[in-house]
Every structure is written in structure tokens, then in C-alpha cells.
Amino acid sequence: MFLHRYRDLIVPFTPNAAMPFRSPTVRAVLALSLTQLIGWGATFYLPVVTGPAMAAELGLALPMVMAGPTIMLVIMALVSWPLSTAFERHGARPIMTLGSPVGAAGLLIMGLANGSVSYVLSWIILGLAGACQLTTPAQIAVTEIAGEKARQALGVLIMAGGLTSTIVWPLTGFLQAQWGWRATTLAYAALMLLVCMPLHWTTLAPRPTEKSAVKAAAEPTGIDRPSFALLATSFAANGFVTWGFALTIIILFEASGLDHASALAAAAFIGIAKWAGRMVDFLGGRRWSGFDTGLAAFALFPLSFIVLLLTSSFIGAVFFAALYGIASGVAAVTNAMIPLQIFPAGAYARASAKLAVPLNLSFAAAPPVFAAIMTSAGPNAALWLAFAVSIFAFCTLFSLLLLHRRMNNASQRN
């Protein structure tokens, strides 16, 4: 089944099916899989490994060091909206190519930082780079080059993205042990400049030809505001849960009575379940719409929290991890797929870039909010908050489905 789906992805773009790497889509997806791994691994995931060493050498408190990724997400949110028009007019290729040297500059400043000012400045620059090249721009680039096969191509890209922490954390730990955190940061800057920038320029689709531009102009490019508001609200609420709740999983397992080793084992199972969730959509996505898989995933989130509220055993924790992980994996794909269904092709890039604003703000706000609730009211309060917000996210997505069907029926009658 997996090989069948992969063949369906590459063959329509391949003059000679025996040589799939001639396919522009395959080359772009492989290149973006690598550049996204480097981009996220060298920025957002970096302090998870190097944070303590950074704090000790720079004379900063560890929470200050760990606030760097939050600064990055806030800047990404602020920049994504004005960038939306640029993506629509010029395509993803020039913007992502520009984002690579900007990211390298941010990492260079971080690697040479000597205090809080230069450290914060580095994350501000990385936020600018992230808005140009991380996740949303990559998804826009895939839809530009894959056309009708965008769903399959996005599925491959998102599945590859699920391996980022698995690959980058051990690599970062090894490099830091050999060279120290500064040299490791500078090495990642070199990768962004020497690997990501050339790949973005050589593998992504160039600016559309005049004929393509005329065709795009003939399509409706308006963004329905009620649909956009419902989608943004639902995705932001779900992102708030997944990004904030991730910090409390081990603590909640321990609060329910598990020892530390059992809590770690149950939490580690979430990563496997996430991969399984992404694989489920990749293999069966042709038969299901983005709404089908999205609603199923969003329904699993509150169900998983009920399991955790009612159980205190290791088996119950693993069952929760399976439900939560599968839901997280499918939801990651849904975030890329549903905009393809509800927005016209000519407005997809602009709508996706604008969606990144509430998403990144919710991602940035979730960790400190959940940490504050856990400190003041206890771990179970964070769990109840996640349960309530996940119910709200499901209801909002279901409302979007009803609105979308009503609009389609009205369009057919007209």
C-alpha cells in the first residue's frame, strides 16, 4: 500500500517511471524534507539540548534561554501576515531562498553572543527567517509544484517532519559534546547557508509563467472571512493544546501515580503514535476528505484526556499516549489539507500565510500559560484546561464543516 501511494505521487510527474528523481515534485519534497529538518532543528529545537550550557556561559537564567523559541514564534506570527501577499505574487522560491541566509545570520549572532541583548537579537532574526522558510512556506512551495497531487506530497513532507527531534536532538548532543554549543550553532548556520539556500533555489518552482498567471487570475481569489475565522480559531485552539500540554505529559503521568521511568516510557510512546497517525492519513487520505480525518483527530483529543482523568495505571497511560499521539499526527496533516479544500487555489498561499499568525501566537502562548497553571493550580488543572479547549476546537471545526457544506450547496443551486 505504501509503495502504491508513493508510485501514485511520483509517476504523474515522471517522464521515465524508472527514474523517479527526475520528477520535480519528488526533488522538491525531498529537498524540503531536509531543509525543514535543518531549519527547525537548528532553531526551535536547539535550546532543548544546548540550553543549560548556553545559560551557564552567557550568565542567563535557564528560563530566559528557553524563552528564545517563544520569541521566535511571536516574530514569525507578526511577520507572516505582511508576507502573505509576497507569497501570492512571487511564489515561495525567492522568499525561502532569502530566509536561509537570514537564518544563518541569526545563528551566527547566537554562536557569538556574549549576553542577553545579542541572544534575544538572534532569536528575533530567526523569527524573521522562520516566517520565510519554516512549515507554511514549505507547504506553499509544495502546492505550487505538485498541483493536483499536493495532498500526497504534503503527506510525505509532514511525515518526514515528524522525525526532526528524533534525528536532531542526538546529533546536536553529539556535536555539543565534541565541539561545544557555540561551534555547534555555527555549524548549523553553515548548513543553513550552504545546504538550505541552494536547495530552495534549485528545486522549488520558479515564478509562474505569464500563462499560469493569467490562469490563476481567472480563478476566484477571495478568502471567505467566516470560513477563515472558524478555521483559524479551531487550529489555534488545537495548537494551544498540543504545544502547551506537551510540557505537562510526564508530570501528569507522575501525578497520577506512575514512577518516573514508567512516565518516561509512556510519554515516549507518543512519538510512535504520532508517526502512525501521519501514516494513516498518508495511506488512506485518498478515500477521506480533510474534514473527515480532521474531525476524527479532534475528537480523539478530548477522549484521550478522559482516559488520563480516569486511569492511574501504566496501561492506561499508554492507551492515552496512543490516542493522543495518533490524534496529534493526523491533526498535523489536517492543518495542511483543509485549507486546500476551503480556499480557492489562487488564494491558498495568502490564506496559509495569514493562518500562520494565530497559529504561531497560540504556539508561543501555550507553554508559559500551561506552566503558570501547573504552578498555581496543579497538573490536573492543566489537564482540565486542555480537555475544555480541545472540545472547543472540535466544535469550531464541525461548525466550519457545516458552513462549507452550506456554501457548496448554495453554489450548486446558483
Side-chain angles (χ1 to χ4, degrees):
M1 178 66 74
F2 178 84
L3 293 177
H4 176 71
R5 293 296 308 278
Y6 179 75
R7 186 176 65 250
D8 288 345
L9 170 62
I10 64 174
V11 167
F13 299 92
T14 307
N16 182 355
M19 301 183 68
F21 288 101
R22 289 183 178 178
S23 164
T25 300
V26 172
R27 291 199 304 270
V29 169
L30 290 176
L32 288 170
S33 298
L34 177 59
T35 62
Q36 293 300 289
L37 186 149
I38 295 173
W40 280 110
T43 58
F44 184 85
Y45 289 104
L46 184 66
V48 175
V49 179
T50 64
M54 287 179 172
E57 188 168 340
L58 296 176
L60 302 176
L62 184 59
M64 174 65 181
V65 171
M66 300 306 291
T70 299
I71 296 172
M72 170 184 164
L73 291 174
V74 171
I75 298 300
M76 286 176 64
L78 296 177
V79 176
S80 293
W81 192 283
L83 271 180
S84 61
T85 303
F87 278 114
E88 188 173 45
R89 291 180 179 177
H90 307 293
R93 182 194 188 197
I95 300 173
M96 294 190 72
T97 303
L98 175 63
S100 299
V102 174
L107 290 172
L108 176 63
I109 294 175
M110 184 185 297
L112 301 177
N114 55 10
S116 59
V117 174
S118 52
Y119 182 75
V120 170
L121 176 62
S122 70
W123 283 107
I124 292 175
I125 296 174
L126 290 176
L128 297 173
C132 293
Q133 63 176 342
L134 295 180
T135 301
T136 298
Q139 292 172 356
I140 293 173
V142 167
T143 60
E144 288 175 348
I145 201 167
E148 295 180 353
K149 291 292 180 178
R151 176 162 185 165
Q152 294 96 312
L154 284 170
V156 174
L157 179 65
I158 293 170
M159 280 178 28
L163 296 174
T164 300
S165 60
T166 304
I167 295 173
V168 170
W169 282 343
L171 175 61
T172 302
F174 173 78
L175 294 177
Q176 181 180 234
Q178 299 297 317
W179 300 341
W181 72 267
R182 290 187 184 274
T184 299
T185 304
L186 296 176
Y188 281 138
L191 286 178
M192 201 167 287
L193 186 63
L194 301 177
V195 176
C196 296
M197 186 171 70
L199 286 177
H200 289 155
W201 183 254
T202 58
T203 63
L204 302 186
R207 185 175 180 177
T209 62
E210 183 176 352
K211 181 178 179 180
S212 300
V214 171
K215 181 180 179 181
E219 298 175 352
T221 56
I223 298 176
D224 182 69
R225 291 184 178 181
S227 297
F228 181 87
L230 287 172
L231 182 64
T233 302
S234 180
F235 282 7
N238 180 259
F240 181 82
V241 170
T242 54
W243 284 63
F245 187 69
L247 298 178
T248 70
I249 289 175
I250 294 177
I251 297 174
L252 287 171
F253 284 162
E254 293 176 340
S256 67
L258 297 182
D259 59 71
H260 186 66
S262 298
L264 285 174
F269 190 73
I270 293 176
I272 301 174
K274 282 184 178 180
W275 179 262
R278 298 183 184 198
M279 182 64 73
V280 165
D281 186 89
F282 178 73
L283 296 178
R286 174 182 297 178
R287 296 185 294 272
W288 310 316
S289 72
F291 280 110
D292 294 335
T293 56
L295 287 172
F298 280 37
L300 284 180
F301 279 113
L303 179 60
S304 69
F305 299 141
I306 292 175
V307 170
L308 196 56
L309 285 167
L310 297 179
T311 185
S312 59
S313 67
F314 177 73
I315 298 299
V318 171
F319 184 42
F320 157 80
L323 293 176
Y324 178 84
I326 291 173
S328 298
V330 176
V333 183
T334 299
N335 287 352
M337 302 307 176
I338 290 184
L340 285 172
Q341 291 184 235
I342 68 173
F343 299 127
Y348 176 80
R350 177 161 37 97
S352 296
K354 289 183 176 181
L355 275 174
V357 177
L359 284 178
N360 285 320
L361 287 177
S362 69
F363 296 163
V369 169
F370 271 76
I373 291 175
M374 287 177 53
T375 302
S376 60
N380 279 342
L383 176 59
W384 279 108
L385 174 64
F387 175 78
V389 175
S390 65
I391 292 289
F392 173 75
F394 174 83
C395 293
T396 310
L397 185 62
F398 186 70
S399 299
L400 176 62
L401 172 62
L402 297 180
L403 175 62
H404 184 61
R405 287 179 175 175
R406 186 161 60 248
M407 292 175 62
N408 283 344
N409 291 337
S411 177
Q412 291 175 1
R413 287 196 298 269
N414 292 335

